[in-house]
Structures are given as structure tokens and as C-alpha cells.
């Protein structure tokens, strides 16, 4: 049966919403700086005489605060205006990148100073991520959420094609400082645009912080579909990054033409992400969570292809399919999350999910590094592919996965857990605030 909600709405409908135009513009501008930042950061460390150890310290100090403070960011995202949180987070990240650009340009950069700026940037990210997850649902009507999520991924995926190339040319021609300065400017512009959203706080509460955090954990744990997807996601993230990012370049060097062929693989993956975004603009599946689980399972294909040393053409096909699957999974999951988690809880639920998946990254790298000393690269890759396949199958065995489908009505989410004392009143206040927030956005 096809309803009017199953028919994709014209993209122009979304761009008639002033708040969405602001949000997309901020994402696009910020993406141009973020695409150059990793390369610029690496060469900032190299220019001041650092090596692999120094770079590892810098990357760790950027990642750790995001994990540590993410729950705090999720709590704030449910208690405060998300547009103000996005403003503060982007402004803080811009100041950190600006300070780093100045120290690199003046020749005063050290591993400690670069790491300190990375710590501030990582802290800023812990407030940006959960606030961004819930902000979209306050800006866009529910029937447009999937297309909105796809459009928001489009700038980042498109910039990934040219961003690293432009960043490499800029760093080679003028040094890392200019690329870092551009990243700082994009954060500042995005901050101003996001402040103009003027979103109301989704949760009006006088309860204590710890009480709200406990209520958030109770809500997370009571939603079987949410914590099982998070658990499966931890396995997928660890296995994918360890197999593809860590071992992939080594396999390319041993079995293919080294950096040249690995560059083609990376380009194919980006092309797959873009193709997945286009698919999500047109296709609106009913079983959102089941589609997300199955699509993410495509990440096993490139790992299996590399392990079996198939011809490069087949590796590229597998990588494109993985990119398509990953983007479909992200958009479908985000839409399901926004439709089935009440606005007043989205910040905390997003934070619990994000902490799990981010913790999996260093664990996956560490286990793979240890396993590589005892196993062959082929064995490790096949193990990673098998872990992804097993996590996908086990997640599909969870009955709740097939209950989290596209909502075609305007009723509040029907999967809310039993109310924690005092929480029902706060969520009701949050819904009233959300209605006020949407009217404010449309008038911006």
C-alpha cells in the first residue's frame, strides 16, 4: 500500500524552510574546513619535528574528551537550546583551530600546544554531536525528515571528493597554518548561522542533572532496539576501521599498486557514499531500522574482497557497495531515531549511542594491532568481515528491529519506556516547547 508519505516530496519544499536553509549552509561551510583539517593537523605535527608518536598523542587528546564529555553534551542538549549549544560548540572549535593556526604560522607550535588545541576541539565536538542530532527534528516536519537527513549528508560527502585534494595543495604550497585558519573561519561562520535558528529548549525541568542522566539511561536500556543497535554498531565500527583503515593500505602495498590503487579505493568509497545519499533522496523504505541494519552489513564486502586478493576491479565494486550501504544505513537510522525517540530525550539517547561507538574505535585498533603479530593479514581481514556479518545477523534476530518502522501519522512516539517519576510532565513541557521552537524557526 502506498500513501502520500511514501512519495518523495520535492527537495524545494525543504529549502522553503528558512531554518533548514541556515542549517544546510552551516553544514556545507563547515564541511569545507573539516575536509582539510586531518591533513593539515598531521603536517602541523610533522612541521614542528614530530613523528608517529607525537601524532598519536595529538589524535588521542582530540578523541578522549569527546568520549568523556559526550554524556554531558547529551544532557545539555535535552535541557538547553540546541541552537545555542551548536553556536557555542562551533565557536569553541573555531577558537581552538584559530589558536592552532597562529602557533603553527609563528613557529611556536609544539606537540603539547597542538594537543591542547585538539583537546578543546574534542570537547566542543561532545556538545555539537548530540545537539545536532535533535536539532533537525525541531526544524523539519516529520514527513520530510529522511530527505532532510540525506541532504545534510550530501555536502559532507561531496566535499570529501575534493577537500583532501585542495587541502593537500594548500598545505604543500603555503603550509598547514593556512588550512587550519580556513577551518577556524568555517567554524565561526557556521556558529553565526546556527545561532540564528533560535530553537527553544526541548526539556523544561528543575530536576537535578544526575536524576535526568539516570532517567536517560533507563530510557536507553528500556528500548531494546536502541541498545542492541548500539552494541552491533560497536562491533561494526571496530571491525570496519581496523580492517579497512588500518590494514587496507598495507594490503594495497603488498597485493596491488600501493598508494595509487589505495587512492582509487578511497575514491570509490566516497562515490558510494554520494550514491547512497542520492538513493535516500528518492527511496523511502518502510522498515527503517531493518534497512539500516542490512545496509550497514555491506561493510563486510570490501574486507572479504581484500582478504581474498581478488582483482582490483572487484575490490572497487565491493567498496562502492559498502559506501552506498553505509550512507543508506546512516540516513535510515537517523530518521528512525528522530521518529521514535521523543524530542526531550534525543540528546541523551544520542550520547549513549555515540559513546559506545566511539569507544569501539581505539579498542578495535588495539586488538587488530595485537592480532596482526600472531595472525596473517588475510586472517585478520576475514575475521573482521565475519564479525560484521555476525553482528548484522544477530541484530536482525531482535524482534524490536521490525517494529521501528516509518511513521505515517503525527502521533507522539509509541515506544516510550515507562515514565520515570516526574519525567512525563517534563516531556509534555518539552513537546510544547518544540511546537514553539518550530514556529520560531519558520519565521527566522
Amino acid at each position: 500500500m502506498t500513501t502520500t508519505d511514501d512519495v518523495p516530496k520535492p527537495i524545494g519544499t525543504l529549502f522553503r524552510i528558512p531554518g533548514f536553509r541556515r542549517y544546510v549552509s552551516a553544514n556545507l561551510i563547515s564541511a569545507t574546513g573539516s575536509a582539510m583539517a586531518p591533513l593539515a593537523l598531521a603536517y602541523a605535527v610533522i612541521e614542528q619535528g614530530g613523528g608517529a608518536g607525537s601524532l598519536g598523542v595529538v589524535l588521542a587528546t582530540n578523541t578522549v574528551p569527546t568520549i568523556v564529555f559526550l554524556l554531558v553534551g547529551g544532557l545539555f542538549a535535552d535541557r538547553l537550546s540546541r541552537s545555542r549549544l551548536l553556536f557555542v560548540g562551533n565557536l569553541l572549535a573555531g577558537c581552538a583551530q584559530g589558536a592552532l593556526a597562529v602557533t603553527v604560522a609563528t613557529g611556536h607550535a609544539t606537540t603539547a600546544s597542538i594537543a591542547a588545541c585538539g583537546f578543546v576541539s574534542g570537547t566542543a565536538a561532545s556538545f555539537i554531536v548530540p545537539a545536532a542530532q535533535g536539532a533537525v527534528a525541531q526544524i523539519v516536519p516529520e514527513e520530510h525528515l529522511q530527505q532532510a537527513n540525506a541532504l545534510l549528508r550530501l555536502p559532507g560527502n561531496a566535499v570529501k571528493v575534493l577537500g583532501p585534494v585542495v587541502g593537500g595543495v594548500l598545505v604543500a604550497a603555503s603550509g598547514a597554518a593556512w588550512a587550519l585558519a580556513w577551518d577556524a573561519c568555517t567554524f565561526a561562520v557556521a556558529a553565526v548561522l546556527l545561532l540564528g535558528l533560535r530553537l527553544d529548549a526541548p526539556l523544561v525541568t528543575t530536576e537535578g542533572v544526575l536524576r535526568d542522566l539516570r532517567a536517560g539511561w533507563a530510557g536507553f536500556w528500556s528500548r531494546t532496539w536502541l541498545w542492541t543497535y548500539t552494541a552491533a554498531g560497536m562491533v561494526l565500527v571496530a571491525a570496519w576501521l581496523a580492517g579497512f583503515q588500518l590494514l587496507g593500505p598495507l594490503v594495497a602495498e603488498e597485493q596491488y599498486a600501493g598508494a595509487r590503487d589505495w587512492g582509487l579505493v578511497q575514491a570509490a568509497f566516497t562515490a558510494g557514499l554520494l550514491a547512497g545519499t542520492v538513493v535516500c533522496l528518492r527511496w523511502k523504505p518502510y522498515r527503517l531500522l531493518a534497512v539500516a541494519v542490512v545496509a550497514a552489513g555491506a561493510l563486510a564486502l570490501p574486507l572479504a574482497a581484500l582478504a581474498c586478493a581478488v582483482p582490483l576491479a572487484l575490490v572497487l565494486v565491493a567498496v562502492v557497495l559498502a559506501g552506498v550501504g553505509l550512507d543508506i544505513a546512516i540516513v535510515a537510522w537517523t530518521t528512525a531515531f528522530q521518529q521514535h525517540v521523543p524530542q526531550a530525550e534525543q540528546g541523551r539517547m544520542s550520547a549513549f549511542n555515540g559513546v559506545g561507538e566511539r569507544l569501539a574505535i581505539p579498542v578495535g585498533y588495539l586488538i587488530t594491532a595485537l592480532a596482526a603479530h600472531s595472525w596473517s593479514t588475510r586472517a585478520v581481514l576475514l575475521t573482521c568481515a565475519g564479525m560484521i556479518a555476525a553482528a548484522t545477523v544477530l541484530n536482525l534476530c531482535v524482534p524490536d528491529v521490525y517494529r521501528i518502522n516509518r511513521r505515517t501519522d503525527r502521533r507522539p512516539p509509541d515506544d516510550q519506556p515507562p515514565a520515570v517519576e516526574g519525567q512525563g510532565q517534563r516531556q509534555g513541557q518539552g513537546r510544547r516547547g518544540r511546537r514553539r521552537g518550530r514556529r520560531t524557526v519558520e519565521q527566522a
Side-chain angles (χ1 to χ4, degrees):
M1 178 179 178
T2 301
T3 66
T4 55
D5 277 343
D6 294 324
V7 181
K9 305 293 191 301
I11 294 176
T13 302
L14 284 169
F15 284 103
R16 284 196 288 269
I17 303 173
F20 185 72
R21 292 200 301 269
R22 278 181 171 272
Y23 202 84
V24 170
S25 299
N27 266 18
L28 175 59
I29 292 168
S30 182
T32 62
S34 298
M36 301 181 190
L39 181 66
L41 183 64
Y43 277 90
V45 174
I46 294 171
E47 286 176 5
Q48 58 90 30
S54 298
L55 185 58
V57 169
V58 169
L59 293 176
T61 54
N62 180 260
T63 303
V64 169
T66 304
I67 298 173
V68 171
F69 297 119
L70 194 57
L71 292 180
V72 178
L75 190 65
F76 284 173
D78 286 341
R79 295 166 67 97
L80 305 174
S81 166
R82 287 168 179 159
S83 56
R84 291 182 182 177
L85 276 178
L86 290 170
F87 167 75
V88 172
N90 277 273
L91 188 62
L92 187 61
C95 290
Q97 292 299 83
L100 179 56
V102 171
T103 58
V104 171
T106 57
H108 293 96
T110 63
T111 299
S113 64
I114 297 174
C117 292
F119 184 89
V120 175
S121 294
T123 303
S126 68
F127 293 93
I128 293 172
V129 172
Q133 182 79 298
V136 178
Q138 285 185 272
I139 297 170
V140 177
E142 187 171 293
E143 63 270 21
H144 297 304
L145 277 175
Q146 180 178 316
Q147 283 186 303
N149 291 322
L151 282 172
L152 287 169
R153 286 192 56 77
L154 191 59
N157 288 339
V159 169
K160 284 177 184 176
V161 178
L162 295 176
V165 177
V166 174
V169 172
L170 185 59
V171 170
S174 56
W178 286 103
L180 292 168
W182 173 251
D183 192 28
C185 290
T186 61
F187 273 123
V189 174
V192 173
L193 287 171
L194 292 167
L195 181 62
L197 293 175
R198 298 194 298 277
L199 301 176
D200 286 336
L203 176 62
V204 180
T205 177
T206 58
E207 300 290 347
V209 169
L210 291 179
R211 186 183 182 88
D212 277 344
L213 195 58
R214 286 196 298 268
W217 174 252
F220 178 79
W221 187 250
S222 67
R223 294 180 172 92
T224 304
W225 64 271
L226 185 53
W227 69 259
T228 53
Y229 187 88
T230 300
M234 292 175 67
V235 176
L236 262 70
V237 168
W240 169 251
L241 292 180
F244 190 75
Q245 300 290 1
L246 189 61
L247 298 180
L250 300 178
V251 175
E253 191 65 33
E254 294 172 0
Q255 299 178 358
Y256 302 100
R260 185 197 67 185
D261 285 355
W262 188 244
L264 292 175
V265 169
Q266 295 281 18
F269 185 65
T270 302
L273 292 174
L274 277 170
T277 302
V278 174
V279 170
C280 290
L281 288 173
R282 301 300 306 169
W283 179 44
K284 299 182 71 174
Y286 175 68
R287 297 199 179 277
L288 284 171
L289 192 56
V291 166
V293 173
V294 173
L299 292 175
L301 297 177
L303 304 185
L306 290 171
C308 296
V310 300
L312 180 62
L314 293 181
V315 173
L316 295 178
V317 171
V319 170
V320 169
L321 291 176
V324 172
L326 179 60
D327 215 77
I328 291 174
I330 292 173
V331 173
W333 156 252
T334 304
T335 304
F337 179 91
Q338 291 163 342
Q339 289 191 347
H340 288 270
V341 176
Q343 267 287 336
E345 297 180 69
Q346 286 186 11
R348 286 166 292 171
M349 299 303 105
S350 173
F352 285 122
N353 172 262
V355 166
E357 293 188 353
R358 281 169 174 77
L359 279 175
I361 298 173
V363 172
Y365 283 149
L366 179 60
I367 293 176
T368 302
L370 294 174
H373 289 291
S374 304
W375 297 359
S376 67
T377 301
R378 180 175 184 272
V380 176
L381 284 170
L382 286 175
T383 300
C384 289
M387 289 172 61
I388 292 175
T392 300
V393 172
L394 289 174
N395 203 0
L396 288 173
C397 293
V398 177
D400 276 8
V401 166
Y402 306 97
R403 190 168 61 84
I404 306 303
N405 303 320
R406 180 179 303 282
R407 293 175 58 221
T408 57
D409 54 38
R410 302 295 179 86
R411 292 176 301 172
D414 56 2
D415 66 323
Q416 297 185 42
V420 178
E421 183 182 354
Q423 189 175 359
Q425 179 182 359
R426 297 198 301 274
Q427 287 182 2
Q429 292 169 332
R431 284 193 290 272
R432 289 195 295 272
R434 183 164 69 255
R435 287 194 293 269
R436 291 195 303 270
R438 181 163 294 165
R439 286 197 298 270
T440 302
V441 169
E442 290 173 348
Q443 293 169 0

